[in-house]
Amino acid sequence: MLLEVREVTKRYDRRAAPANDGISLSVEAGQVYGLLGHNGAGKTTLVNQIVGLRKPDSGAIHIDGHDAVASPGFARRMCSIQPQAQVPINGLSPRQAIETLGGLRGGESASVRRRTAELLGALELGEWSEMDGARLSGGVKRLVSFCMAAVVPGRLVILDEPTNDVDPVRRRVLWAQVRALADDGSAVLLVTHNVIEAERSVDRLAILEHGRVLTEGTPADLKAGVADDLRLELVLEPGAEAPEPPLFGSSFVATANRVVATVPAALGGEAAMWAQNLRRNGRVEEYSLAPATLEDAYVALVGAATQTDISEEETNVRAA
Amino acid sequence: MSALRSYRLLVTWQARRMKMFLPLGIVVQALFSFGIVAGYPLLFPAMDRTTILYLASGGPAVSLITVGLVAVPQLVSQARTEGTLDYMRTLPILRVVYLLADMTVWLVVVVPGVAFAVVVAAIRFGLDLHVSPLVVPAVLLVVLTATSVGYAMASLLPPLVAQMASQILVVFILMFSPLNFPADRLPDWLAAIHRVLPIQAMGEVMRGTLAPDAFPLTLGAVALLAAWCVATFAASSLVLTRRA
């Protein structure tokens, strides 16, 4: 195992609930491992402990067999990180920023230059590569900060919300680059709340909730819980009110112009008729009935609290 | 990876990050020193040679000290708030190298202003200064100490407090520190405080090398500065390494 986290507990405030509460997980080289959970679930706290910015109250973190808590310097050499916050690169062009980071991570000059050009090309950042960082859009900055983590990747690459603000087209190329990092032998720890993208991109994942690992496994493992469910999705006519929840649905979440319900597969026919009726009455623009996704499994596990978040992301992705 | 290479890369990185600020900082520093040298005589038209020498050597000292104690805490607090400092802490570089690289850039900001102020003072007052070659290590020591203190302030205090403290320090340095006037004009209690703080020693080291004919360079002042320098450098470096 390249990364081994065992029973890590971290409390910022003695009176408050712990930010990490006995978290255990492990990531192999060549694996993309998703760390999912809503805001405040403890994802970034865990990352900060892995790279030595914070110290666990108890528990162990091993990177490539070495105790990362005892030697944070070793952890920093092993990890490259794209932090959640934007890295300010005002005054530097993306190319300068990426090349400097490559040098600071110990890369040899010629190969750093080559790799920087390769990343700028792959992520289609050519037109911005010489522009001052202060003038870049949020999405471009995000991609540049990914490149800074990927130019001389660590054995463990940590990406904290890498797709935030990134347009749908570049998201796809970004995921391809994330996969390439793993294929080249790095372990990739991917922190995200974007379940839909995670389903397509990760090999394994853990869902965090209130500082604990709620569940852990492959996307297929996690979906097993909703294997006999269908996902019924309605897009409402503009101005139309959401329909009353049908009796056959096991979950029902309505957002602005969209309704997502989970339906037992055996009642699929009934659900289709119900939706078709709504469409005939002009209340629903379109609907779809499909096997339940990781998102449905996630919602079933975590509850509907994050539903709005997910739907926004999803709308972005589907727009591609 | 060699410390020298990370030092070089970090200096370039910081210089580029501050490239908008650098020329402006240099001009402001020069104007600041110039203002003291040219402005004080307006307040006090009749000045003896000692007063003039105090001004000529005090101006550059004030300029060096304010950058370290005022500008550094403000920019470092800002870097802390926006997360740049934490990002730097995740990189495989030695903390000492990071601090030294940052201080090198500050040195570039202050030195031209100091040189300019000395020249202006010499011309304005018709002084024949015999600047000692020791001025080079003196400037290095003062800048290193001042930026170290500034770094320690920004690292140890909450960002907002650090920024306010640095504002108050401007007045304290300019008006209530024996840089442009002799320490014996201060009330005893304030003079006692200044015997422990590094500000007076910074002034003495600058005077003792800019106008060595008129002012002695004491070992005591150098030792006090060195102690402050080591202590605050160690504190900043420790805070950069600390894991809460």
Side-chain angles (χ1 to χ4, degrees):
Chain A
M1 281 299 163
L2 196 81
L3 173 68
E4 237 358 305
V5 176
R6 283 284 158 266
E7 292 293 322
V8 162
T9 295
K10 176 72 186 174
R11 201 182 275 272
Y12 291 116
D13 184 343
R14 237 172 264 161
R15 286 156 299 177
N20 283 172
D21 191 358
I23 291 184
S24 297
L25 51 89
S26 44
V27 187
E28 282 177 60
Q31 203 174 48
V32 179
Y33 192 101
L35 202 55
L36 276 76
H38 60 77
N39 301 329
K43 310 185 293 282
T44 300
T45 297
L46 181 64
V47 167
N48 284 344
Q49 292 171 104
I50 295 170
V51 297
L53 285 179
R54 299 199 173 272
K55 198 173 180 175
D57 296 338
S58 63
I61 300 171
H62 283 88
I63 301 176
D64 206 15
H66 291 71
D67 186 346
V69 179
S71 47
F74 173 80
R76 277 189 286 272
R77 282 196 301 280
M78 296 296 283
C79 302
S80 60
I81 178 169
Q82 175 184 5
Q84 190 180 23
Q86 291 282 18
V87 181
I89 54 163
N90 299 359
L92 290 103
S93 71
R95 189 187 301 278
Q96 287 169 338
I98 300 165
E99 286 181 354
T100 308
L101 250 291
L104 287 173
R105 289 205 50 79
E108 184 254 323
S109 302
S111 67
V112 165
R113 272 199 300 277
R114 211 170 34 242
R115 170 81 173 139
T116 303
E118 181 188 308
L119 282 166
L120 287 170
L123 294 170
E124 297 163 30
L125 294 172
E127 61 179 296
W128 295 283
S129 64
E130 312 302 334
M131 197 184 270
D132 189 311
R135 292 169 53 207
L136 300 174
S137 71
V140 173
K141 277 189 197 159
R142 205 79 205 126
L143 290 166
V144 172
S145 118
F146 167 79
C147 295
M148 287 158 78
V151 58
V152 178
R155 297 285 311 283
L156 174 63
V157 180
I158 300 175
L159 307 170
D160 200 341
E161 304 286 3
T163 55
N164 274 5
D165 301 330
V166 175
D167 67 67
V169 176
R170 279 195 185 75
R171 275 179 190 217
R172 296 197 175 171
V173 275
L174 176 61
W175 287 121
Q177 288 301 315
V178 172
R179 174 51 62 189
L181 286 173
D183 291 346
D184 288 343
S186 292
V188 179
L189 183 64
L190 176 81
V191 179
T192 185
H193 59 238
N194 190 331
V195 188
I196 302 245
E197 285 183 353
E199 176 171 12
R200 295 191 213 128
S201 321
V202 306
D203 301 312
R204 287 187 81 81
L205 71 152
I207 296 178
L208 296 194
E209 165 97 326
H210 300 307
R212 291 164 189 259
V213 176
L214 204 61
T215 179
E216 203 266 356
T218 64
D221 292 340
L222 268 62
K223 276 195 294 185
V226 291
D228 291 329
D229 283 344
L230 294 175
R231 170 193 178 88
L232 172 63
E233 189 170 348
L234 312 175
V235 177
L236 304 179
E237 284 287 350
E241 272 184 39
E244 287 295 306
L247 293 172
F248 49 78
S250 58
S251 86
F252 185 87
V253 180
T255 55
N257 66 336
R258 199 174 279 259
V259 170
V260 179
T262 314
V263 180
L267 299 173
E270 204 174 321
M273 272 171 64
W274 178 75
Q276 181 60 32
N277 245 328
L278 289 169
R279 189 169 183 227
R280 202 175 296 130
N281 298 340
R283 294 178 63 189
V284 163
E285 205 170 82
E286 56 182 75
Y287 68 88
S288 66
L289 195 61
T293 63
L294 182 63
E295 185 196 325
D296 301 307
Y298 179 86
V299 171
L301 278 164
V302 177
T306 49
Q307 185 63 18
T308 327
D309 237 10
I310 293 162
S311 294
E312 277 166 17
E313 297 279 355
E314 184 184 7
T315 314
N316 291 339
V317 176
R318 298 262 158 108
Chain B
M1 135 112 154
S2 83
L4 203 67
R5 185 174 178 219
S6 15
Y7 173 78
R8 192 173 50 78
L9 285 165
L10 282 171
V11 169
T12 322
W13 169 276
Q14 290 293 52
R16 279 180 176 148
R17 290 246 299 130
M18 291 170 66
K19 73 175 175 215
M20 304 300 282
F21 173 80
L22 272 177
L24 201 70
I26 291 170
V27 169
V28 168
Q29 279 307 300
L31 283 176
F32 199 71
S33 315
F34 174 78
I36 293 171
V37 171
Y40 267 86
L42 300 176
L43 285 171
F44 311 104
M47 296 196 295
D48 56 21
R49 189 178 149 77
T50 312
T51 313
I52 288 172
L53 280 175
Y54 259 99
L55 277 187
S57 58
V62 168
S63 151
L64 288 185
I65 297 166
T66 41
V67 165
L69 267 50
V70 180
V72 169
Q74 291 188 358
L75 287 178
V76 174
S77 301
Q78 194 189 332
R80 251 180 89 185
T81 318
E82 53 182 39
T84 316
L85 212 57
D86 263 350
Y87 181 65
M88 287 313 209
R89 287 178 58 195
T90 66
L91 302 179
I93 42 181
L94 293 170
R95 302 304 181 255
V96 176
V97 172
Y98 175 70
L99 281 176
L100 284 177
D102 222 16
M103 287 168 184
T104 307
V105 179
W106 287 111
L107 197 67
V108 174
V109 175
V110 288
V111 167
V114 171
F116 176 72
V118 173
V119 172
V120 167
I123 295 171
R124 165 74 177 75
F125 303 116
L127 291 175
D128 188 14
L129 292 174
H130 298 280
V131 177
S132 154
L134 284 178
V135 77
V136 176
V139 167
L140 277 177
L141 180 62
V142 171
V143 170
L144 202 60
T145 310
T147 43
S148 281
V149 174
Y151 241 101
M153 277 172 63
S155 319
L156 297 170
L157 301 173
L160 206 64
V161 179
Q163 297 203 6
M164 277 168 57
S166 71
Q167 300 284 348
I168 295 166
L169 264 178
V170 180
V171 180
F172 185 71
I173 292 164
L174 208 55
M175 306 306 294
F176 301 103
S177 299
L179 294 169
N180 290 310
F181 54 83
D184 53 28
R185 287 192 204 160
L186 292 171
D188 289 344
W189 63 271
L190 192 52
I193 291 175
H194 271 298
R195 274 196 288 278
V196 188
L197 290 181
I199 301 172
Q200 180 176 344
M202 288 175 182
E204 283 174 11
V205 168
M206 289 306 295
R207 264 198 299 281
T209 51
L210 281 175
D213 300 344
F215 304 103
L217 177 63
T218 65
L219 203 62
V222 176
L224 183 70
L225 274 197
W228 270 93
C229 188
V230 171
T232 47
F233 194 92
S236 315
S237 159
L238 217 65
V239 170
L240 278 182
T241 325
R242 184 177 61 183
R243 290 175 292 167

